[in-house]
Amino acid sequence: MTAHWAYLGPEGTFTEQAARDLLSRDAGPAELVPCAGVSAALTALREGRVDAAIVPLENSVEGSVPLTHDELIHGEPLVIVGEAFVPVTFDLLVRPGTELSQVRTVGSHPHGHAQVRDWLATGLPHAEIVTTLSTAEAAAEVAAGRLDAAAAAPVAGARYGLVALARDIGLERDAVTRFVALQRPGPPPPPTGNDRSSFVLSVENRPGALLDVLTEITGRGVNMVRLESRPTRYRMGEYVFLVDVDSHLAVPSVREMVAALIRRSALLRWLGSYPRALGTNVPVPDFASSASYEAAAQQVSDLLGEYPA
Amino acid sequence: MTAHWAYLGPEGTFTEQAARDLLSRDAGPAELVPCAGVSAALTALREGRVDAAIVPLENSVEGSVPLTHDELIHGEPLVIVGEAFVPVTFDLLVRPGTELSQVRTVGSHPHGHAQVRDWLATGLPHAEIVTTLSTAEAAAEVAAGRLDAAAAAPVAGARYGLVALARDIGLERDAVTRFVALQRPGPPPPPTGNDRSSFVLSVENRPGALLDVLTEITGRGVNMVRLESRPTRYRMGEYVFLVDVDSHLAVPSVREMVAALIRRSALLRWLGSYPRALGTNVPVPDFASSASYEAAAQQVSDLLGEYPA
């Protein structure tokens, strides 16, 4: 059966690139369904009209995507089942045959314009800047003949039959956006040995509470790779934290850590374990290795005089 | 079958009092076997000639008993299966009919003399102080007519047919000695709900190592009631720590703690779980309760999509 994956449309966006990247790692056949926004994609998922949704989570230059974060923290629960990193590079896309001297209008999303402003000031000083709802929409307008050029994702060129007059014209050359594939709550994909886990921490308003909670994480040798505060929305000055750690819930150190966070009423929401798409987990200290957990559990069992079940 | 319990003799010492206290809580019949010293009692136990040994561990006034500690840390492994607290009170014991004015010699162990010196300076200013190997030996010498009086444990009076001319004549009125019953390594007695566990910590020589290890204990809500350093004997300036905690190894928070100490190579030696003889365990925080462990483990299991075994 063909699965349906929603993504932040229209066709030809960076999110479609992320979705194709994720699809290429997935075994089964799937059809991509463009949606008009993050919330629309997540609603389609929550209502069961699609099987997964791909949305942007954070950008190396601009930071977190607040809407996605708030959906993950406050919306009806969803879990992350995969991630993809897409370089945010902008090409100057035109209809085949258009020359640089013929470009009088350049369309892009406001974020795109901010990225390519410097290049345009030099390369097309007299061109008019036109704002569109997405970089892909700018590309579509070029294809339709209503704009001369679009500053858009490379994938939009292929999608709309355009060619690049100039490549990678953005300000930040190494900008990358992290996208996540979400599903309705369920068991995580099996561990691959290079996984990431995400969750939302809720920390009591008392001295030492955050330290207690962080000790439950790092004290177990679990590597915390991201800790980002978000307002609770309920009370000014109260925060929850989005946390990413290396490794998978099925790994003993993470499993024990999650149980400890639950016991401390610190786990507001579990967001899932999923294969890491970029980089590798930091090697765990010996005392946190799965083999070490197994050996220690056996020794304690021996001290208690327990026999194998 | 009658069990044999060795204790630090001779008959009529504080250790015999502790042994009788421990015996009164034990179900089966047992015979007490006096030994000439702590090491003799432990050797009898290690060699299988007795089933348990009762020895002094620490005193509220004088602190730990170094010989017992060193035996527990460095000797062939033994485990604590019970404890008893015996008030260290000294009576002035004489043969029936002896009056205070007739007392010219008073025998006691050096520790006893130190305790009763003030009382003797007032009550028997001209009496000669005679040192014996134990307070019980002093009592035996009185019974044999070779001394007039003994500053000894109340139990020695009954044992040697003596009577008390004065009671509780020691300097420290609330002094108490903690005795432990040791056995060869084996499963602990079952949890009673008010237990204590003891172990020896070995801490790496690096900054933060002791904090890491203490965090594994107190971070789990396990109440540490004693932390006492002892030299390693191997290198000047290196220490191991004798630790007592509330609760029993079979309790989840303690079990997880011990496994963590093993993983960190910090558990030099497990000394056992046994019923508390004095006071009660500090109430554990909610996050450390056994019910909380069970509920959290179930939730993690649910997150992983595991099914009941």
Side-chain angles (χ1 to χ4, degrees), chain A residues 57-58 69 72 78-83 178 180-182 188 195-201 217 222-226 241-249 254 257-258 261 267-276, chain B residues 303:
Chain A
L57 185 67
E58 55 173 335
H69 279 73
L72 287 175
L78 296 171
V79 292
I80 304 172
V81 296
E83 66 173 2
R178 180 182 171 207
V180 286
L182 301 173
D195 303 286
R196 214 198 273 253
S197 296
S198 299
F199 51 90
V200 184
L201 279 183
I217 301 170
V222 173
N223 187 37
M224 189 166 64
V225 292
R226 186 166 168 249
F241 297 87
L242 264 112
V243 180
D244 288 349
V245 297
D246 278 352
S247 205
H248 191 286
L249 181 58
V254 178
M257 172 200 80
V258 172
L261 296 175
L267 188 77
L268 186 63
R269 193 170 280 193
W270 178 249
L271 296 179
S273 292
Y274 45 92
R276 251 185 104 133
Chain B
L303 288 173

Side-chain angles (χ1 to χ4, degrees), chain A residues 7-80:
Chain A
Y7 71 99
L8 179 58
E11 295 180 333
T13 60
F14 294 107
T15 316
E16 188 192 340
Q17 258 181 267
R20 297 205 172 279
D21 183 4
L22 281 159
L23 271 185
S24 71
R25 285 181 249 145
D26 199 73
E31 191 178 303
L32 290 178
V33 181
C35 291
V38 167
S39 294
L42 299 189
T43 300
L45 174 60
R46 290 185 178 119
E47 291 179 353
R49 287 181 278 122
V50 294
D51 306 291
I54 290 84
V55 293
L57 185 67
E58 55 173 335
N59 178 273
S60 64
V61 176
E62 301 183 73
S64 67
V65 178
L67 183 57
T68 306
H69 279 73
D70 288 344
E71 281 278 6
L72 287 175
I73 298 170
H74 303 290
E76 195 182 319
L78 296 171
V79 292
I80 304 172

Side-chain angles (χ1 to χ4, degrees), chain A residues 10 106-113 129-142 146-147 149-152:
Chain A
V106 179
S108 192
H109 182 266
H111 170 57
H113 281 310
I129 307 298
V130 178
T131 297
T132 54
L133 283 173
S134 67
T135 55
E137 186 189 305
E141 291 289 286
V142 174
R146 289 190 286 268
L147 287 173

Side-chain angles (χ1 to χ4, degrees), chain A residues 71-122:
Chain A
E71 281 278 6
L72 287 175
I73 298 170
H74 303 290
E76 195 182 319
L78 296 171
V79 292
I80 304 172
V81 296
E83 66 173 2
F85 290 82
V86 175
V88 181
T89 58
F90 291 88
D91 286 358
L92 188 72
L93 301 173
V94 296
R95 291 178 297 279
T98 306
E99 288 178 23
L100 196 58
S101 57
Q102 298 171 309
V103 174
R104 287 191 188 84
T105 51
V106 179
S108 192
H109 182 266
H111 170 57
H113 281 310
Q115 281 292 311
V116 304
R117 189 183 300 124
D118 285 10
W119 190 91
L120 292 179
T122 310

